[in-house]
Amino acid sequence: LCSVFWICLYSYIMVWMITVIGFTFGIPDTVMGLTFIAAGVSVPDALSGVAVVKEGHGDMAVSNAIGSNVFDILMCLGIPWFIQTAIIKPGSEVKVIHKGILYSTFTLFSTVVFLILASHANGWKMDRKYGIILLIWYFVVMAFASLYETNLLGNFNPEECDSEY
């Protein structure tokens, strides 16, 4: 129970600080979430992936990465929305003000398709070439996601409100 408290506290502080840093440098919250927060919360997954690969269990590393993302998408979005709309304000809705959600979903889907195609092309084995290919694809995906999140590839996100801070 004490560990859960510390995880919650540090998570809250991390999101708060990332939001402040993004606001200070004029970087939208969505870009900060796609890059820094996503990387920060994925470090434990990456470390566990390295540990199981060293033991010769590459399939477990892949399953961990996919399972973690499925959990993040379905549970980490579903639970807060459920609590808000069923417990805090029953019958309410959570509006997502983001015209780029279709592009975000397509990007996620294309990443899964790319993973399958790259794995097949590499003979379903993990090696240096495979790692480099996945890293390059990550930077390509992050570049495009950041471009449409900052409205450089279209008008997807609303302007942020002015603040006195």
Side-chain angles (χ1 to χ4, degrees):
L1 185 61
C2 191
S3 298
V4 172
F5 169 78
W6 288 111
I7 290 171
C8 291
L9 179 67
Y10 286 131
S11 296
Y12 180 81
I13 291 170
M14 179 184 69
V15 171
W16 177 31
M17 291 291 103
I18 291 293
T19 303
V20 169
I21 292 168
F23 180 78
T24 302
F25 291 105
I27 302 170
D29 291 343
T30 52
V31 173
M32 296 302 281
L34 276 169
T35 53
F36 295 104
I37 293 177
V41 300
S42 296
V43 168
D45 289 335
L47 294 176
S48 66
V50 168
V52 297
V53 165
K54 283 184 177 181
E55 297 290 323
H57 302 289
D59 54 345
M60 189 182 292
V62 173
S63 297
N64 176 39
I66 293 172
S68 173
N69 284 291
V70 168
F71 179 85
D72 287 348
I73 292 168
L74 300 179
M75 296 299 287
C76 296
L77 290 177
I79 289 174
W81 288 347
F82 174 77
I83 290 171
Q84 176 68 25
T85 59
I87 298 171
I88 296 174
K89 289 185 180 177
S92 66
E93 296 177 340
V94 176
K95 296 223 185 269
V96 178
I97 306 172
H98 188 286
K99 290 190 263 181
I101 196 76
L102 178 65
Y103 294 98
S104 298
T105 305
F106 175 73
T107 301
L108 182 62
F109 180 70
S110 71
T111 300
V112 172
V113 170
F114 182 83
L115 177 67
I116 293 168
L117 293 176
S119 299
H120 179 70
N122 203 46
W124 300 99
K125 63 184 184 294
M126 293 185 207
D127 55 13
R128 179 177 297 193
K129 180 178 82 170
Y130 183 73
I132 290 170
I133 289 169
L134 293 183
L135 286 173
I136 290 170
W137 184 249
Y138 172 77
F139 288 113
V140 167
V141 166
M142 284 298 103
F144 274 103
S146 296
L147 288 173
Y148 63 71
E149 292 295 341
T150 55
N151 291 333
L152 293 175
L153 290 180
N155 189 19
F156 300 113
N157 291 311
E159 294 293 323
E160 291 189 17
C161 299
D162 290 332
S163 175
E164 297 176 14
Y165 299 104

